PDB file of all heavy atoms in Angstrom:
ATOM      1  N   VAL A  52      27.918 -45.789 -31.785  1.00 91.00           N
ATOM      2  CA  VAL A  52      27.467 -46.127 -30.405  1.00 91.00           C
ATOM      3  C   VAL A  52      27.741 -44.950 -29.437  1.00 91.00           C
ATOM      4  O   VAL A  52      26.847 -44.631 -28.580  1.00 91.00           O
ATOM      5  CB  VAL A  52      28.326 -47.350 -29.906  1.00 91.00           C
ATOM      6  CG1 VAL A  52      28.157 -47.599 -28.408  1.00 91.00           C
ATOM      7  CG2 VAL A  52      27.822 -48.576 -30.698  1.00 91.00           C
ATOM      8  N   LEU A  53      28.888 -44.300 -29.500  1.00 91.00           N
ATOM      9  CA  LEU A  53      29.168 -43.177 -28.549  1.00 91.00           C
ATOM     10  C   LEU A  53      28.178 -42.044 -28.847  1.00 91.00           C
ATOM     11  O   LEU A  53      27.776 -41.282 -27.980  1.00 91.00           O
ATOM     12  CB  LEU A  53      30.571 -42.726 -28.752  1.00 91.00           C
ATOM     13  CG  LEU A  53      31.668 -43.831 -28.275  1.00 91.00           C
ATOM     14  CD1 LEU A  53      33.110 -43.237 -28.446  1.00 91.00           C
ATOM     15  CD2 LEU A  53      31.462 -43.999 -26.705  1.00 91.00           C
ATOM     16  N   ALA A  54      27.889 -41.767 -30.182  1.00 90.00           N
ATOM     17  CA  ALA A  54      27.033 -40.689 -30.465  1.00 90.00           C
ATOM     18  C   ALA A  54      25.595 -41.005 -29.948  1.00 90.00           C
ATOM     19  O   ALA A  54      24.889 -40.057 -29.452  1.00 90.00           O
ATOM     20  CB  ALA A  54      26.976 -40.432 -31.967  1.00 90.00           C
ATOM     21  N   VAL A  55      25.132 -42.180 -30.068  1.00 93.00           N
ATOM     22  CA  VAL A  55      23.868 -42.565 -29.590  1.00 93.00           C
ATOM     23  C   VAL A  55      23.784 -42.491 -28.097  1.00 93.00           C
ATOM     24  O   VAL A  55      22.757 -41.990 -27.472  1.00 93.00           O
ATOM     25  CB  VAL A  55      23.470 -44.008 -30.053  1.00 93.00           C
ATOM     26  CG1 VAL A  55      22.182 -44.466 -29.373  1.00 93.00           C
ATOM     27  CG2 VAL A  55      23.242 -43.967 -31.628  1.00 93.00           C
ATOM     28  N   VAL A  56      24.815 -42.980 -27.421  1.00 93.00           N
ATOM     29  CA  VAL A  56      24.831 -42.881 -25.939  1.00 93.00           C
ATOM     30  C   VAL A  56      24.788 -41.338 -25.377  1.00 93.00           C
ATOM     31  O   VAL A  56      24.040 -41.023 -24.506  1.00 93.00           O
ATOM     32  CB  VAL A  56      26.076 -43.537 -25.326  1.00 93.00           C
ATOM     33  CG1 VAL A  56      26.201 -43.333 -23.895  1.00 93.00           C
ATOM     34  CG2 VAL A  56      25.956 -45.021 -25.653  1.00 93.00           C
ATOM     35  N   GLY A  57      25.581 -40.507 -26.169  1.00 91.00           N
ATOM     36  CA  GLY A  57      25.564 -39.097 -25.809  1.00 91.00           C
ATOM     37  C   GLY A  57      24.223 -38.505 -26.041  1.00 91.00           C
ATOM     38  O   GLY A  57      23.781 -37.691 -25.196  1.00 91.00           O
ATOM     39  N   ALA A  58      23.572 -38.901 -27.100  1.00 92.00           N
ATOM     40  CA  ALA A  58      22.260 -38.290 -27.416  1.00 92.00           C
ATOM     41  C   ALA A  58      21.265 -38.748 -26.342  1.00 92.00           C
ATOM     42  O   ALA A  58      20.361 -37.910 -25.899  1.00 92.00           O
ATOM     43  CB  ALA A  58      21.761 -38.750 -28.798  1.00 92.00           C
ATOM     44  N   ALA A  59      21.297 -39.995 -25.981  1.00 93.00           N
ATOM     45  CA  ALA A  59      20.355 -40.499 -24.940  1.00 93.00           C
ATOM     46  C   ALA A  59      20.580 -39.801 -23.575  1.00 93.00           C
ATOM     47  O   ALA A  59      19.606 -39.466 -22.913  1.00 93.00           O
ATOM     48  CB  ALA A  59      20.522 -41.996 -24.783  1.00 93.00           C
ATOM     49  N   ALA A  60      21.809 -39.507 -23.310  1.00 92.00           N
ATOM     50  CA  ALA A  60      22.124 -38.806 -22.022  1.00 92.00           C
ATOM     51  C   ALA A  60      21.577 -37.406 -22.061  1.00 92.00           C
ATOM     52  O   ALA A  60      21.023 -36.874 -21.128  1.00 92.00           O
ATOM     53  CB  ALA A  60      23.614 -38.877 -21.733  1.00 92.00           C
ATOM     54  N   VAL A  61      21.900 -36.658 -23.181  1.00 92.00           N
ATOM     55  CA  VAL A  61      21.433 -35.285 -23.298  1.00 92.00           C
ATOM     56  C   VAL A  61      19.871 -35.153 -23.196  1.00 92.00           C
ATOM     57  O   VAL A  61      19.412 -34.113 -22.692  1.00 92.00           O
ATOM     58  CB  VAL A  61      22.027 -34.693 -24.587  1.00 92.00           C
ATOM     59  CG1 VAL A  61      21.342 -33.317 -24.863  1.00 92.00           C
ATOM     60  CG2 VAL A  61      23.544 -34.488 -24.536  1.00 92.00           C
ATOM     61  N   THR A  62      19.199 -36.138 -23.667  1.00 92.00           N
ATOM     62  CA  THR A  62      17.744 -36.119 -23.576  1.00 92.00           C
ATOM     63  C   THR A  62      17.242 -35.903 -22.160  1.00 92.00           C
ATOM     64  O   THR A  62      16.230 -35.288 -21.950  1.00 92.00           O
ATOM     65  CB  THR A  62      17.143 -37.396 -24.173  1.00 92.00           C
ATOM     66  OG1 THR A  62      17.605 -37.599 -25.516  1.00 92.00           O
ATOM     67  CG2 THR A  62      15.596 -37.328 -24.176  1.00 92.00           C
ATOM     68  N   PHE A  63      18.003 -36.434 -21.221  1.00 91.00           N
ATOM     69  CA  PHE A  63      17.526 -36.291 -19.780  1.00 91.00           C
ATOM     70  C   PHE A  63      18.451 -35.322 -18.961  1.00 91.00           C
ATOM     71  O   PHE A  63      18.667 -35.533 -17.737  1.00 91.00           O
ATOM     72  CB  PHE A  63      17.586 -37.708 -19.158  1.00 91.00           C
ATOM     73  CG  PHE A  63      16.637 -38.728 -19.820  1.00 91.00           C
ATOM     74  CD1 PHE A  63      17.311 -39.601 -20.771  1.00 91.00           C
ATOM     75  CD2 PHE A  63      15.288 -38.730 -19.553  1.00 91.00           C
ATOM     76  CE1 PHE A  63      16.374 -40.518 -21.382  1.00 91.00           C
ATOM     77  CE2 PHE A  63      14.487 -39.634 -20.233  1.00 91.00           C
ATOM     78  CZ  PHE A  63      15.044 -40.478 -21.187  1.00 91.00           C
ATOM     79  N   ARG A  64      18.994 -34.313 -19.650  1.00 90.00           N
ATOM     80  CA  ARG A  64      19.951 -33.476 -18.992  1.00 90.00           C
ATOM     81  C   ARG A  64      19.266 -32.670 -17.916  1.00 90.00           C
ATOM     82  O   ARG A  64      19.937 -32.313 -16.914  1.00 90.00           O
ATOM     83  CB  ARG A  64      20.540 -32.510 -20.027  1.00 90.00           C
ATOM     84  CG  ARG A  64      19.507 -31.532 -20.661  1.00 90.00           C
ATOM     85  CD  ARG A  64      20.191 -30.773 -21.777  1.00 90.00           C
ATOM     86  NE  ARG A  64      19.258 -29.796 -22.382  1.00 90.00           N
ATOM     87  CZ  ARG A  64      19.185 -28.539 -21.980  1.00 90.00           C
ATOM     88  NH1 ARG A  64      19.951 -28.026 -21.049  1.00 90.00           N
ATOM     89  NH2 ARG A  64      18.327 -27.695 -22.550  1.00 90.00           N
ATOM     90  N   ARG A  65      18.013 -32.320 -17.955  1.00 90.00           N
ATOM     91  CA  ARG A  65      17.347 -31.486 -16.966  1.00 90.00           C
ATOM     92  C   ARG A  65      17.084 -32.353 -15.606  1.00 90.00           C
ATOM     93  O   ARG A  65      17.007 -31.780 -14.582  1.00 90.00           O
ATOM     94  CB  ARG A  65      16.017 -30.969 -17.468  1.00 90.00           C
ATOM     95  CG  ARG A  65      16.194 -30.005 -18.632  1.00 90.00           C
ATOM     96  CD  ARG A  65      14.835 -29.550 -19.124  1.00 90.00           C
ATOM     97  NE  ARG A  65      14.949 -29.009 -20.471  1.00 90.00           N
ATOM     98  CZ  ARG A  65      15.111 -27.700 -20.717  1.00 90.00           C
ATOM     99  NH1 ARG A  65      15.193 -26.837 -19.727  1.00 90.00           N
ATOM    100  NH2 ARG A  65      15.168 -27.210 -21.968  1.00 90.00           N
ATOM    101  N   GLN A  66      16.820 -33.610 -15.843  1.00 90.00           N
ATOM    102  CA  GLN A  66      16.454 -34.415 -14.659  1.00 90.00           C
ATOM    103  C   GLN A  66      17.660 -34.823 -13.826  1.00 90.00           C
ATOM    104  O   GLN A  66      17.653 -34.880 -12.653  1.00 90.00           O
ATOM    105  CB  GLN A  66      15.761 -35.715 -15.190  1.00 90.00           C
ATOM    106  CG  GLN A  66      14.354 -35.597 -15.717  1.00 90.00           C
ATOM    107  CD  GLN A  66      14.303 -34.982 -17.019  1.00 90.00           C
ATOM    108  OE1 GLN A  66      15.322 -34.906 -17.766  1.00 90.00           O
ATOM    109  NE2 GLN A  66      13.141 -34.543 -17.509  1.00 90.00           N
ATOM    110  N   ALA A  67      18.854 -35.057 -14.463  1.00 91.00           N
ATOM    111  CA  ALA A  67      20.043 -35.462 -13.781  1.00 91.00           C
ATOM    112  C   ALA A  67      21.206 -34.794 -14.386  1.00 91.00           C
ATOM    113  O   ALA A  67      22.058 -35.455 -15.094  1.00 91.00           O
ATOM    114  CB  ALA A  67      20.248 -36.943 -13.783  1.00 91.00           C
ATOM    115  N   PRO A  68      21.425 -33.493 -14.086  1.00 92.00           N
ATOM    116  CA  PRO A  68      22.546 -32.776 -14.836  1.00 92.00           C
ATOM    117  C   PRO A  68      23.998 -33.343 -14.592  1.00 92.00           C
ATOM    118  O   PRO A  68      24.788 -33.450 -15.527  1.00 92.00           O
ATOM    119  CB  PRO A  68      22.408 -31.337 -14.199  1.00 92.00           C
ATOM    120  CG  PRO A  68      21.094 -31.272 -13.711  1.00 92.00           C
ATOM    121  CD  PRO A  68      20.703 -32.647 -13.330  1.00 92.00           C
ATOM    122  N   ILE A  69      24.269 -33.681 -13.286  1.00 93.00           N
ATOM    123  CA  ILE A  69      25.628 -34.193 -12.910  1.00 93.00           C
ATOM    124  C   ILE A  69      25.864 -35.538 -13.589  1.00 93.00           C
ATOM    125  O   ILE A  69      26.938 -35.739 -14.178  1.00 93.00           O
ATOM    126  CB  ILE A  69      25.700 -34.236 -11.451  1.00 93.00           C
ATOM    127  CG1 ILE A  69      25.600 -32.866 -10.772  1.00 93.00           C
ATOM    128  CG2 ILE A  69      27.141 -34.901 -11.131  1.00 93.00           C
ATOM    129  CD1 ILE A  69      26.577 -31.845 -11.154  1.00 93.00           C
ATOM    130  N   SER A  70      24.926 -36.444 -13.569  1.00 92.00           N
ATOM    131  CA  SER A  70      25.075 -37.701 -14.174  1.00 92.00           C
ATOM    132  C   SER A  70      25.266 -37.616 -15.667  1.00 92.00           C
ATOM    133  O   SER A  70      26.022 -38.259 -16.297  1.00 92.00           O
ATOM    134  CB  SER A  70      23.804 -38.599 -13.913  1.00 92.00           C
ATOM    135  OG  SER A  70      23.700 -38.782 -12.467  1.00 92.00           O
ATOM    136  N   VAL A  71      24.463 -36.702 -16.319  1.00 92.00           N
ATOM    137  CA  VAL A  71      24.559 -36.539 -17.763  1.00 92.00           C
ATOM    138  C   VAL A  71      25.938 -35.954 -18.102  1.00 92.00           C
ATOM    139  O   VAL A  71      26.607 -36.384 -19.062  1.00 92.00           O
ATOM    140  CB  VAL A  71      23.473 -35.562 -18.286  1.00 92.00           C
ATOM    141  CG1 VAL A  71      23.761 -35.129 -19.741  1.00 92.00           C
ATOM    142  CG2 VAL A  71      22.094 -36.313 -18.191  1.00 92.00           C
ATOM    143  N   LEU A  72      26.447 -35.040 -17.263  1.00 93.00           N
ATOM    144  CA  LEU A  72      27.844 -34.460 -17.488  1.00 93.00           C
ATOM    145  C   LEU A  72      28.899 -35.616 -17.354  1.00 93.00           C
ATOM    146  O   LEU A  72      29.773 -35.622 -18.228  1.00 93.00           O
ATOM    147  CB  LEU A  72      28.119 -33.387 -16.461  1.00 93.00           C
ATOM    148  CG  LEU A  72      29.488 -32.771 -16.536  1.00 93.00           C
ATOM    149  CD1 LEU A  72      29.707 -32.058 -17.876  1.00 93.00           C
ATOM    150  CD2 LEU A  72      29.688 -31.711 -15.445  1.00 93.00           C
ATOM    151  N   VAL A  73      28.748 -36.422 -16.437  1.00 93.00           N
ATOM    152  CA  VAL A  73      29.713 -37.573 -16.261  1.00 93.00           C
ATOM    153  C   VAL A  73      29.634 -38.466 -17.566  1.00 93.00           C
ATOM    154  O   VAL A  73      30.748 -38.773 -18.106  1.00 93.00           O
ATOM    155  CB  VAL A  73      29.439 -38.368 -14.985  1.00 93.00           C
ATOM    156  CG1 VAL A  73      30.295 -39.586 -14.984  1.00 93.00           C
ATOM    157  CG2 VAL A  73      29.677 -37.498 -13.807  1.00 93.00           C
ATOM    158  N   VAL A  74      28.455 -38.838 -18.050  1.00 93.00           N
ATOM    159  CA  VAL A  74      28.323 -39.651 -19.182  1.00 93.00           C
ATOM    160  C   VAL A  74      28.892 -38.996 -20.429  1.00 93.00           C
ATOM    161  O   VAL A  74      29.681 -39.568 -21.260  1.00 93.00           O
ATOM    162  CB  VAL A  74      26.851 -40.054 -19.340  1.00 93.00           C
ATOM    163  CG1 VAL A  74      26.692 -40.795 -20.752  1.00 93.00           C
ATOM    164  CG2 VAL A  74      26.397 -40.933 -18.257  1.00 93.00           C
ATOM    165  N   CYS A  75      28.502 -37.740 -20.605  1.00 92.00           N
ATOM    166  CA  CYS A  75      28.979 -37.014 -21.841  1.00 92.00           C
ATOM    167  C   CYS A  75      30.517 -36.766 -21.847  1.00 92.00           C
ATOM    168  O   CYS A  75      31.141 -36.800 -22.897  1.00 92.00           O
ATOM    169  CB  CYS A  75      28.252 -35.680 -21.953  1.00 92.00           C
ATOM    170  SG  CYS A  75      26.458 -35.814 -22.298  1.00 92.00           S
ATOM    171  N   THR A  76      31.053 -36.522 -20.693  1.00 91.00           N
ATOM    172  CA  THR A  76      32.528 -36.353 -20.550  1.00 91.00           C
ATOM    173  C   THR A  76      33.148 -37.694 -20.862  1.00 91.00           C
ATOM    174  O   THR A  76      34.236 -37.734 -21.559  1.00 91.00           O
ATOM    175  CB  THR A  76      32.889 -35.876 -19.174  1.00 91.00           C
ATOM    176  OG1 THR A  76      32.217 -34.692 -18.906  1.00 91.00           O
ATOM    177  CG2 THR A  76      34.418 -35.739 -19.033  1.00 91.00           C
ATOM    178  N   GLY A  77      32.607 -38.739 -20.412  1.00 91.00           N
ATOM    179  CA  GLY A  77      33.181 -40.126 -20.635  1.00 91.00           C
ATOM    180  C   GLY A  77      33.034 -40.436 -22.192  1.00 91.00           C
ATOM    181  O   GLY A  77      34.015 -41.010 -22.822  1.00 91.00           O
ATOM    182  N   VAL A  78      31.940 -40.063 -22.813  1.00 91.00           N
ATOM    183  CA  VAL A  78      31.725 -40.260 -24.248  1.00 91.00           C
ATOM    184  C   VAL A  78      32.807 -39.510 -25.063  1.00 91.00           C
ATOM    185  O   VAL A  78      33.393 -40.052 -25.938  1.00 91.00           O
ATOM    186  CB  VAL A  78      30.301 -39.937 -24.715  1.00 91.00           C
ATOM    187  CG1 VAL A  78      30.182 -39.867 -26.239  1.00 91.00           C
ATOM    188  CG2 VAL A  78      29.327 -40.905 -24.137  1.00 91.00           C
TER     189      VAL A  78
END
Side-chain angles (χ1 to χ4, degrees):
V52 170
L53 292 177
V55 170
V56 171
V61 167
T62 304
F63 301 99
R64 66 187 181 94
R65 300 176 195 265
Q66 288 77 11
I69 299 297
S70 300
V71 170
L72 177 60
V73 172
V74 172
C75 291
T76 302
V78 166

